[in-house]
Every structure is written in C-alpha cells, then in structure tokens.
Amino acid sequence: MMSKARSPKRIASAVAVSVLLSLSLAGGAYADSATDIAPGALTTPPPVEMNLNSSLNTLANKYLMDYFSSIGKVSSTQVGISATTSASQAVDSLGINYVLQRWTGSAWVDSGASYDNGTSRASLSGSKTFSVQAGYYYRAKTIHWVKESGTYEEGTYHTSSILVAQ
C-alpha cells in the first residue's frame, strides 16, 4: 500500500521548478522594461548577466586560486578598471589582460585593451584607465592567468556594466 505522503525528493523538485519558473517570469518582466533608454544614454541598457563566481571556476586549478575585477567612472571621458589575480603560491609568472567592452545596443564589442604581469609572486593587482565615449554602457572583461613549471591556468571575469552618461 502506497502512502499518500509526498516524498522529500518530489517536494524538492516541485520547489526547484517553482523557483526556476519565478525567475524566468521575473527575467521576462525585466526584459520588457529594459527597452527604456536612460537619460544620457544612446542605447538601451545591456541585459543583466550572471557572473559566475570565480571561486567556482578555480576548483580544478592547482595554482590559480582567485580573481576579480571592477570598473568605475573616472570622468565623462574615462573609466578605470581594477583587477587582482591570486595564486596558491609564488609562481613563475602571472598576469591580467584588461579588455574594455562597449555595448552597441545589441552586442558587446571590444574598445580597448592593456595588461599587467609579474614574476615570482603569489598575487598581482593592477588598474588601467581607458578613454570612452559618453552615452554608452561599458564593462570590463579581464583574463587572469598563471604559469608555473609548464602549467598554464586562466579564468575570465566580466564586471557589471556602467553608463557613462552624456
């Protein structure tokens, strides 16, 4: 005789489906409101993207332990990108590749690049300033890497976007 009590697996599945459905509906509601152009912007805002936690991406790594970057407005014509790469020990070399990206209204395009690197150390922090055109949304894409004894490991981080208003 089967019990009418619900199994914990079935309840967990129902909750998970409900949460996913709620999130997808909320995302759809946001997408409709994203067609509004903010004051000082020349395009609609970019979609909000989930940036996977860099700690999850480093679980399989032996040397690259953590990485992060941020972007901020310096002036109406400049933005600054700051980033950090951390290794589990002093490594042969490590670095950060900075890529500034601009939102066209439909896609992210690269609009500037630079880099920092170091040797025989366990961490590297740096910052770069880029010239921008007012009216657009910008974000940073940073590639963090380490090399140790012939092993190369890297991870990519995308910052949230900022509007450099006119």
Side-chain angles (χ1 to χ4, degrees), residues 7 48 64 106 147:
S7 74
V48 176
L64 180 60
S106 60
K147 290 181 187 175

Side-chain angles (χ1 to χ4, degrees), residues 49-69:
E49 299 174 14
M50 297 293 286
N51 195 29
L52 294 176
N53 183 340
S54 60
S55 298
L56 294 176
N57 298 331
T58 59
L59 290 177
N61 291 342
K62 184 174 182 181
Y63 302 107
L64 180 60
M65 289 295 108
D66 199 20
Y67 50 89
F68 178 78
S69 58

Side-chain angles (χ1 to χ4, degrees), residues 15 30 39 44 51 63 65 67-68 87 99 144 157:
V15 169
Y30 177 78
T44 56
N51 195 29
Y63 302 107
M65 289 295 108
Y67 50 89
F68 178 78
V99 180
H144 305 258
Y157 192 92

